[in-house]
Every structure is written in structure tokens, then in C-alpha cells.
Amino acid sequence: MKKILIIGSAGQIGSELTLELRKMYGGDNVIAGVRKTKPSEKLSSKGPCEVVDALDVEGLRATVKKYNIDAIINMAAILSATGEKNPMLAWDVNMNGLINVLEIAREFNMKQVLVPSSIAVFGPSTPIDNTPQETILKPTTIYGVTKVSGELLGDYYVKRYGLDVRGLRYPGIISHETLPGGGTTDYAVAIYYEAIKHKKYTSFVNEDTRLPMMYMPDCLKATIDLMHADYKDLKHHSDFNVGAMSFSMGELAASVKKYIPDFEISYAPDERQSIADSWPNSVDDSAAREEWGWKPDYDLDAMTKDMLQAIEEKHKKGLI
Ligand code: AKB
């Protein structure tokens, strides 16, 4: 890969992945694709930024030609909670956007396409603990439906056209650089901001809600390691389970309390509770470990320490 286009560069994962890949490939070789969001100074000062909407094929084609793109990472997606509010929008962005990207990749003979999937591919009938790689995929959210379809579509392009499509089933991703938007797992980020700002947080999922989660440095490592894995070692393509940690909301609150003893937690579950209840507690990621050497670095307390320090810094500078 020489020239990478990241669609959705202003998002939670896209913003940090763009900067990380620019360190490896050089600023000019990683093009930040943003749709409406004004790119941050960090993003626009270190390499090219273009307005790219995966639903606009002509615009996408023009950017691919302009920069001679040979790999696309498609981070643009409508997540679970927003998807339930607007299922047609979720279908449009997640499916029509994806097929446009895959078709452009085929047209330009790209070296690789990376398309994220999610634990949202699982549903209430999936085994809940240590969820296997190969298992029942019957999600009950539109986001999950598009992610299962996206995985199948990715694998179809691998088999039918020989296009190198790769993807991971991200758990909830926790970070302090860019806020997540419209997901169910957003509580695991919001708690840290509220702990620093107000020393209390009202959770929209109950105390016992347990989900697979991952800290951003591990998310970047997983994504980049999968991108760089040798194609011949891959038995799977678009659907790798990747685990890192699994904790309940109560355990997350207890971890925050270790560092901020007067932190208070309360619970007011809303419509996102049923989405969280349909997802697994933890995943079996042995395929990722065997096929491309996946191994996470962070556990809950190491992440909490890091998150609180970083958000405290922002707070002191008046940035939040
Ligand atoms: C969401 O909560 O919708 C996302 C996801 C798990 O894919 N963070």
C-alpha cells in the first residue's frame, strides 16, 4: 500500500487511525476523508484532507484518481443507537456506502480495503460468553443487520473478485481524543468525562450490563496489524472477533472510584439497554490470535488511569 484513503477520518477511530498511519506511511500518503465535520487542526495540518462521502460515487472516484489511491479504509458508519432512530439512514450509509467503496476498489484494482465490523453482528440467540468466531449471527438492530451483510459482502468480493477485503468485529472502543457518536457503548467513554467534570455519572445501562470493550491504543494496534498481516495467513477476512477486556458497568464505576474516591454512580437505563442486552459479554478471538498474532495490552485499571489523566489535562486547559 502506498496511498491510503480513510473515509470517516473525523470520527472516533478514524481521527486517531489517520494520525497513526501518517506516522508510518508519511503525511502525504494518508488522505483524510471527511464528510461534513470540519477536520481538526491535527488532521488538516499533517496531510491532505478531502471532502469524501461514500454515497457520492463520482466524488469518491475523483479523490481516488487525484491521489492515486491503492487502499481504502471505510470508517464511515451509522452506529447502533442512531441506527434505531433512523434505520433507512443506517442502511443507506452502511450498505450503499460500502458497496460503492467495494466497487471503486474493484474498478481501480486496489491492494486492500478495510471495513470495520462490530460485536453488533451478534444477537440474543448467540452464545453470550466467549462468543465463538463462527456462531449464530441474528442481530436485532439495523446496525447489526448492516454489519452482518457487510461482512458477507466483503467475503463475497474476496472470493468473487480476488479483492483483499479485511475487517474486525470491534467491541466498544474507549478513547479520549475524539468522542464516539450514536453508539450503545458510548457510556464507557462518557463516564470518564463526567467523572472529571462533575464527579458523578448517570448510566443509561444498568449495573450488571457487561460488554466486550477495547482501549484505543489496542484498537489502533489491532487495525494496523490486520492491515499488515500476510494475506496467505488469513483464513478469515471480513469478520475477525477481537477481544481485549470485558467489564460490567458496576466494575467500570468501581475502577473510576479507585482513582476518584468521591465519584458517584447512578442508573437510569433507557432504550439502549435492550441493545446492550442483545450483545455478548465477551468474545473468543483465537482466530485473530492464530492468523495474525493479535494480543491486547490494556486491562480495565490501566485504561482508567490513562483515560482520567488525559481528560484531566483537557479539563485543566479548558478544552472540555
Ligand atoms: C456501538 O455501540 O454501536 C458501537 C459498536 C459496538 O459497534 N460502539
Side-chain angles (χ1 to χ4, degrees):
M1 284 167 285
K2 293 203 176 92
K3 290 266 181 186
I4 305 171
L5 170 64
I6 305 186
I7 303 174
S9 263
Q12 187 197 14
I13 302 176
S15 56
E16 297 199 45
L17 185 61
T18 305
L19 299 181
E20 204 58 29
L21 287 174
R22 280 180 174 164
K23 284 186 211 153
M24 292 177 178
Y25 287 84
D28 287 346
N29 297 323
V30 180
I31 289 71
V34 297
R35 201 166 68 95
K36 277 194 259 157
T37 327
K38 195 175 171 303
S40 66
E41 171 65 19
K42 268 190 194 161
L43 214 56
S44 55
S45 64
K46 301 229 167 73
C49 274
E50 289 282 337
V51 173
V52 179
D53 181 348
L55 293 173
D56 168 18
V57 189
E58 281 316 314
L60 183 57
R61 187 179 281 116
T63 306
V64 164
K65 274 191 188 158
K66 178 173 171 188
Y67 292 97
N68 231 340
I69 298 293
D70 63 1
I72 300 184
I73 300 175
N74 182 26
M75 287 290 165
I78 300 294
L79 301 186
S80 55
T82 306
E84 288 316 291
K85 292 197 179 108
N86 196 342
M88 285 307 290
L89 177 71
W91 181 266
D92 200 23
V93 172
N94 298 0
M95 293 315 304
N96 294 330
L98 172 59
I99 200 135
N100 287 345
V101 167
L102 291 170
E103 277 298 291
I104 288 283
R106 192 162 78 83
E107 183 182 327
F108 288 87
N109 225 346
M110 299 235 174
K111 293 207 168 65
Q112 194 180 101
V113 177
L114 192 125
V115 181
S117 187
S118 159
I119 53 163
V121 294
F122 304 121
S125 54
T126 307
I128 196 165
D129 289 310
N130 210 21
T131 300
Q133 175 70 41
E134 310 298 343
T135 187
I136 302 164
L137 301 179
K138 283 186 151 195
T140 47
T141 61
I142 187 69
Y143 173 59
V145 170
T146 64
K147 287 294 161 191
V148 174
S149 313
E151 289 183 354
L152 294 171
L153 203 53
D155 283 356
Y156 177 78
Y157 272 69
V158 173
K159 191 162 179 286
R160 176 79 169 75
Y161 301 115
L163 186 67
D164 181 354
V165 185
R166 304 180 182 200
L168 320 96
R169 290 173 177 157
Y170 288 127
I173 303 297
I174 296 160
S175 63
H176 51 76
E177 187 66 35
T178 307
L179 285 171
T184 301
T185 57
D186 294 7
Y187 65 85
V189 176
I191 187 174
Y192 292 112
Y193 280 84
E194 294 306 305
I196 293 292
K197 287 197 283 188
H198 307 296
K199 292 196 180 352
K200 57 181 183 201
Y201 179 59
T202 302
S203 168
F204 59 78
V205 296
N206 64 35
E207 187 174 1
D208 298 331
T209 303
R210 178 180 294 279
L211 288 174
M213 298 279 179
M214 185 182 279
Y215 193 31
M216 184 58 89
D218 276 335
C219 171
L220 297 176
K221 183 168 91 157
T223 309
I224 293 169
D225 284 358
L226 176 60
M227 282 173 70
H228 291 161
D230 199 331
Y231 184 82
K232 68 173 174 17
D233 294 336
L234 301 182
K235 294 188 193 78
H236 297 84
H237 295 277
S238 308
D239 60 0
F240 282 99
N241 278 2
V242 275
M245 52 183 119
S246 161
F247 50 77
S248 70
M249 185 63 216
E251 286 164 358
L252 174 58
S255 174
V256 171
K257 238 175 150 27
K258 277 187 199 158
Y259 298 93
I260 306 179
D262 51 349
F263 172 71
E264 283 169 27
I265 184 80
S266 54
Y267 298 93
D270 66 14
E271 69 287 349
R272 290 167 282 191
Q273 181 69 55
S274 65
I275 302 178
D277 289 344
S278 74
W279 291 348
N281 289 338
S282 58
V283 298
D284 172 2
D285 58 6
S286 42
R289 288 174 190 258
E290 278 157 28
E291 291 173 44
W292 47 275
W294 165 239
K295 193 172 167 295
D297 291 326
Y298 283 84
D299 63 13
L300 175 57
D301 284 340
M303 173 178 76
T304 296
K305 189 165 177 246
D306 226 50
M307 282 290 286
L308 292 174
Q309 261 170 11
I311 296 169
E312 176 73 54
E313 281 299 306
K314 282 193 186 192
H315 195 234
K316 275 193 198 138
K317 289 183 188 154
L319 297 172
I320 55 163

